[in-house]
């Protein structure tokens, strides 16, 4: 429904006669935010949604369709969960256009429990993990594991 909503919204905007530009960017969990516990959608699904949106928007006359490619989004997720033990994989990815190790990327596709240890937990921030987790539970209590 959300994807079709984007198409419908852009169709309405195109009807006004204005030039419509879109930026399509998949959700990527970000460190030190309440969203760090949320899962990313699998690459195959992201690619399918991106193609669907790009094709529908172009059919409406929207010529400027930009944003992160689904592959770039998954690579970002890999880098978020990577640590120094993955330095060789990161180097291979950058030098030889290789994909990240599936076992690490898969971490981005599942919800995290509240006690999940993250590589960035060593950093001190003004907002505590507990405060961020409480925000998550207020936003989507039925989606996230206890």
């Amino acid at each position: 429904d959300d994807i079709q909503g984007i198409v419908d919204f852009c169709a309405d905007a195109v009807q006004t006669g204005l030039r419509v530009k879109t930026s399509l960017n998949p959700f990527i969990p970000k460190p030190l935010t309440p969203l760090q516990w949320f899962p990313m959608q699998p690459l195959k699904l992201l690619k399918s949604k991106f193609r669907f949106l790009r094709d529908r928007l172009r059919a409406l006359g929207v010529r400027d369709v930009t944003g992160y490619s689904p592959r770039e989004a998954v690579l970002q997720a890999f880098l978020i969960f990577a640590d120094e033990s993955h330095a060789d994989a990161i180097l291979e990815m950058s030098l030889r256009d290789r994909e990240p190790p599936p076992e690490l990327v898969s971490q981005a596709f599942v919800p995290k429990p509240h006690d999940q240890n993250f590589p960035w937990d060593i950093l001190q921030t003004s907002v505590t993990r507990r405060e961020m987790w409480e925000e998550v539970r207020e936003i989507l209590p039925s989606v996230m594991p206890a």
Side-chain angles (χ1 to χ4, degrees):
D1 289 343
D2 288 344
I3 300 299
Q4 186 59 47
I6 293 169
V7 174
D8 295 343
F9 178 80
C10 288
D12 290 346
V14 166
Q15 293 289 329
T16 67
L18 296 173
R19 181 172 178 225
V20 177
K21 298 170 115 180
T22 61
S23 179
L24 306 174
N25 298 294
F27 166 75
I28 304 167
K30 297 296 185 187
L32 301 171
T33 72
L35 301 177
Q36 67 189 357
W37 286 281
F38 284 73
M40 185 175 183
Q41 293 183 328
L43 179 59
K44 187 175 182 177
L45 182 57
L46 293 174
K47 285 181 176 180
S48 172
K49 288 180 175 185
F50 187 85
R51 278 191 305 271
F52 174 86
L53 281 168
R54 183 196 59 214
D55 294 347
R56 294 298 188 286
L57 295 175
R58 287 187 177 158
L60 291 171
V62 178
R63 298 288 170 242
D64 196 355
V65 180
T66 63
Y68 277 129
S69 76
R71 181 180 181 278
E72 288 172 340
V74 169
L75 290 176
Q76 266 196 41
F78 165 72
L79 293 173
I80 288 167
F81 291 100
D83 59 27
E84 61 274 358
S85 68
H86 301 99
D88 289 341
I90 292 168
L91 187 59
E92 282 291 311
M93 286 167 35
S94 64
L95 294 176
R96 294 180 177 73
D97 197 28
R98 299 263 168 96
E99 296 296 320
E103 68 279 1
L104 190 62
V105 171
S106 67
Q107 291 180 30
F109 304 137
V110 294
K112 315 305 179 289
H114 75 283
D115 58 352
Q116 168 82 36
N117 290 320
F118 296 110
W120 51 87
D121 285 341
I122 60 170
L123 301 174
Q124 291 183 346
T125 63
S126 60
V127 179
T128 67
R129 276 179 67 103
R130 182 184 190 121
E131 291 169 322
M132 283 190 282
W133 182 253
E134 287 173 8
E135 189 174 336
V136 168
R137 299 296 293 165
E138 287 175 17
I139 296 169
L140 292 170
S142 64
V143 174
M144 299 306 294

